[in-house]
Amino acid sequence: MEKQKSDQLIRETMKTAGLSEAFIADFITKVDAVRNGETGMVHWEEVGDLDPKTDEISLESIHSSYPTDLKLLSKLVVIKLNGGLGTSMGLDKAKSLIPIKDSMSFLAVMSKQIEFIRSEYGIDVPLIFMDSYNTQKDSQKELEKNGFKQTLRTSFLQNKVPRLDAKTFAPIQNKNEIENWCPPGHGDIYFTMVQEGILDELLSKGFEIAFLSNGDNLGATVDPHIVSYLLKEDIHFAMEMTPKTLADKKGGAIYRKTVGGKFIKYELLETAQVPKEHENEFSGLGKFRTFSTNNLWINLRALKERFNQGNFSLSLIVNPKQVDGTAVIQLETAMGSAVGNFPKFKGIIIPRDRFAPVKKTEDYLIRRSDAYVLNSDFSLTMAKERKSAGLGEILVLLDETHYKKIHQFDSLFKEYPSLLYCEELVVSGEILFDLPITLKGKVKFQNLSGGLKTISSLNRKEFENETISL
């Protein structure tokens, strides 16, 4: 009876919100799985390694063997995930609206990247955003402001799903309506493209390859060689993967699901699916040499065929949360987990340059500093001098009490330090960066006074491999 009651409440809640019957039915199937004990956790003994010879190819190999082919490039569409509000950074609007380089927003840079490709190759590569209810209106205004134009639509809306009470599985009913809903994870993109007729529209206009990536990763630009490779070799699903560093502990990984020594299919393993006792093994640099960047390429014809076969499956992620002291669960799926539906898969091993995301204010500081530059093609990549010095991704740790939210961060970083040759920056306590300084090697600033301290009070402009107490 409880099941019937909660299912009925879920159905009514989602119907009232204008969600489709097909989507509601799919969500209830997921709820049923959790009710029956599905945790989303993997069986660790089934997590097998990829074979570098058969499952992977390097970007260098693709560049040397698959030249740009304008006829094939004209079959490409670029889709960016733009549903995030950046709530972990304290934002209440689309993260893609904040400035990232000079005074340009993420959205402005993404539109410039596409305009560059169009002028470089004389092909109208379209750019489409998957927005959420929270981001669509503001993002469309920003695109208009930047004069971005195309004949195809520039946006479609991802679905939303109710947050469920962890005990009863009924939708929560918070006074603040926004708290009652959550995004269904970016795995929703496939369902939405089919449901909204976008997939058919793209196929009817001759588009065959979609390049999907996160809107906060400005390293993910169009690579025409990859398009040539995928279409010439009939690869249906490719994930860009890059070598793991200590800065990538939470990065998901593609693996071979193996049962009784037999390969079943490729799968994506996300942090939330790792059993507690294996978390160290997952986040370390041993078992997984690479992690998935969420830059993925998909053959749209193969996607259509696979959907028509039915049972298009994505791994379930059960995300526990608290809303006003109540334990709730969010049911999500990841875009990369669609790999399990496509035997014709390749992992493309890329340099770190194609992965420069902004999830936290620490990432934001790194990208805004001189350690990262905006190139002539508007890709945001690590500065050449830094790479020449053999330096990798900077490890930045900012005191969460004072720097976690973007408004706190902006008020304390009046000047960005030079991080060109910095390996690690740790800031403990409340410190105002009120003048330009240069950091090299590993530097730690600590303020144990309990009050605000300023960098200018140190009367120095260069710091290298040291801990400074203010």
Side-chain angles (χ1 to χ4, degrees), residues 128-168:
I128 306 175
F129 292 92
M130 180 167 85
D131 285 304
S132 66
Y133 291 86
N134 301 312
T135 62
Q136 192 177 46
K137 197 176 167 191
D138 289 344
S139 297
Q140 286 294 300
K141 263 191 211 160
E142 176 75 357
L143 284 177
E144 271 171 44
K145 191 179 94 179
N146 284 282
F148 185 77
K149 289 185 173 67
Q150 65 186 33
T151 51
L152 268 180
R153 66 170 100 186
T154 52
S155 170
F156 64 91
L157 267 184
Q158 73 177 56
N159 284 301
K160 59 180 181 177
V161 293
R163 282 177 165 151
L164 305 176
D165 185 293
K167 284 181 188 156
T168 65

Side-chain angles (χ1 to χ4, degrees), residues 19-20 239 241 254 287 297 306 334 348 398 413 425 461:
L19 297 163
S20 77
M239 173 68 82
M241 310 188 308
I254 305 276
K287 185 165 179 64
W297 303 75
R306 183 61 193 81
I348 301 174
L398 302 177
F413 275 99
L425 168 64
K461 291 201 168 179

Side-chain angles (χ1 to χ4, degrees), residues 83-100:
L85 275 183
T87 46
S88 57
M89 291 165 64
L91 286 164
D92 58 1
K93 60 180 180 179
K95 191 202 295 180
S96 54
L97 297 175
I98 61 175
I100 184 64

Side-chain angles (χ1 to χ4, degrees), residues 402-465:
H402 305 289
Y403 298 92
K404 186 176 181 182
K405 306 294 186 193
I406 198 85
H407 67 273
Q408 298 173 300
F409 173 90
D410 283 341
S411 68
L412 291 171
F413 275 99
K414 293 301 180 193
E415 296 282 351
Y416 299 125
S418 167
L419 300 178
L420 192 57
Y421 298 107
C422 180
E423 292 170 59
E424 193 176 299
L425 168 64
V426 179
V427 180
S428 179
E430 191 179 13
I431 300 167
L432 173 65
F433 287 74
D434 56 341
L435 87 171
I437 55 171
T438 300
L439 309 179
K440 293 178 181 176
K442 297 180 180 183
V443 181
K444 180 175 182 179
F445 293 102
Q446 53 185 25
N447 169 15
L448 307 173
S449 72
L452 175 70
K453 295 282 184 177
T454 61
I455 289 290
S456 57
S457 67
L458 295 168
N459 293 316
R460 286 177 59 192
K461 291 201 168 179
E462 294 200 3
F463 303 86
E464 184 169 1
N465 290 319

Side-chain angles (χ1 to χ4, degrees), residues 12 23 26 42 54 68 112 127 130 152 168 181 186 228 240 286 293 297 304 306 340 348 355 364 380 394 406 413 455:
E12 285 167 8
F23 184 69
D26 179 69
V42 299
T54 58
T68 296
K112 297 265 184 230
L127 171 64
M130 180 167 85
L152 268 180
T168 65
W181 297 91
H186 38 62
S228 297
E240 294 185 22
T293 59
W297 303 75
K304 170 84 173 170
R306 183 61 193 81
I348 301 174
F355 185 67
Y364 189 58
L380 183 72
I394 311 168
I406 198 85
F413 275 99
I455 289 290

Side-chain angles (χ1 to χ4, degrees), residues 109-137:
V109 174
M110 283 184 270
S111 56
K112 297 265 184 230
Q113 289 174 348
I114 293 295
E115 284 165 352
F116 174 85
I117 285 288
R118 289 173 180 176
S119 64
E120 185 79 356
Y121 296 103
I123 294 169
D124 273 340
V125 174
L127 171 64
I128 306 175
F129 292 92
M130 180 167 85
D131 285 304
S132 66
Y133 291 86
N134 301 312
T135 62
Q136 192 177 46
K137 197 176 167 191

